[in-house]
Amino acid sequence: MNKIMYLEFERCIGCRSCQAACRECGGHDAKERNYVEYVDFMESRQTFPMLCMQCKDPACARVCPANAIQITEEGVVLSAMEEKCIGCRNCTFGCPFGIPKFDFEENKMYKCDMCYDRTQHGISPMCASVCPSDAIRFIDFDEMQALRRRRTQMNLIEGKKPTEQDKWQYVPEFFGVYSD
């Protein structure tokens, strides 16, 4: 994969254009596969984009008894294959990020797959192509590394220390995620 997804949560302005673009993406059956969540609704109106983290060892795929969730050579975790999915919903319970959703009417699971039909050809996923604040970007690995270095330098200047959060250890190297 030549390009990667890069998220900067604090850039999100809550416009939900990523969700609208996801609904319009071909093959998504007018369902959004990404979400905009509130950091703490009682404290502020700050939002952040939530899409599949494309885990290195995805719990959703690991707990699927029918082996319906496949992982591409590039490491993209795809939605469950309809012909294999038995509707057990283990994937929805197993994901630490709460990304897979289950459609009870159609009896199938769906989730963000980084618009694999687009990204495998180097085209930005729908959500990244419309994000006005650059909270979601589809960039080269070198650009991501430069942004990470600059981010680390700014955090040190501002006196911020890195924190440990267990669920982020599952996020692969090619998926740059940052939040304050």
Side-chain angles (χ1 to χ4, degrees):
M1 182 176 284
N2 298 339
K3 295 192 174 209
I4 57 151
M5 290 294 283
Y6 184 78
L7 302 177
E8 285 192 86
F9 290 158
E10 71 281 355
R11 286 179 165 261
C12 181
I13 58 175
C15 67
R16 292 178 165 67
S17 60
C18 56
Q19 288 181 293
C22 189
R23 275 192 307 272
E24 298 298 318
C25 189
H28 285 192
D29 301 323
K31 289 181 172 60
E32 56 210 34
R33 295 170 181 220
N34 59 7
Y35 313 97
V36 175
E37 304 282 349
Y38 288 97
V39 173
D40 185 348
F41 186 74
M42 301 305 277
E43 295 292 322
S44 77
R45 296 291 183 203
Q46 178 62 47
T47 56
F48 63 94
M50 198 64 204
L51 34 128
C52 183
M53 295 293 141
Q54 307 299 327
C55 300
K56 293 180 215 176
D57 183 20
C60 62
R62 226 179 29 249
V63 299
C64 179
N67 200 28
I69 302 171
Q70 300 297 305
I71 304 164
T72 68
E73 289 179 10
E74 296 90 354
V76 176
V77 184
L78 302 174
S79 283
M81 292 186 287
E82 288 183 48
E83 62 275 5
K84 284 188 167 185
C85 182
I86 60 173
C88 67
R89 296 181 297 147
N90 283 357
C91 54
T92 62
F93 302 121
C95 176
F97 300 100
I99 297 299
K101 301 297 178 207
F102 191 78
D103 185 332
F104 287 94
E105 290 177 13
E106 296 189 30
N107 198 39
K108 69 177 183 179
M109 179 278 268
Y110 60 93
K111 62 174 264 326
C112 166
D113 58 7
M114 282 182 47
C115 295
Y116 187 65
D117 56 328
R118 296 170 56 94
T119 55
Q120 69 180 336
H121 300 294
I123 302 168
S124 291
M126 293 296 284
C127 58
S129 67
V130 300
C131 183
S133 64
D134 280 341
I136 305 171
R137 293 186 247 180
F138 192 61
I139 58 177
D140 292 322
F141 185 79
D142 293 337
E143 186 178 351
M144 187 266 300
Q145 291 292 74
L147 285 168
R148 279 182 151 181
R149 277 191 293 279
R150 187 166 58 225
R151 179 79 177 207
T152 302
Q153 290 167 350
M154 288 308 296
N155 283 345
L156 291 173
I157 291 168
E158 294 170 7
K160 296 178 184 171
K161 295 180 181 177
T163 60
E164 286 294 323
Q165 294 179 338
D166 288 342
K167 68 181 181 181
W168 297 110
Q169 72 183 344
Y170 299 104
V171 179
E173 297 297 320
F174 72 81
F175 203 100
V177 178
Y178 272 97
S179 175
D180 283 333

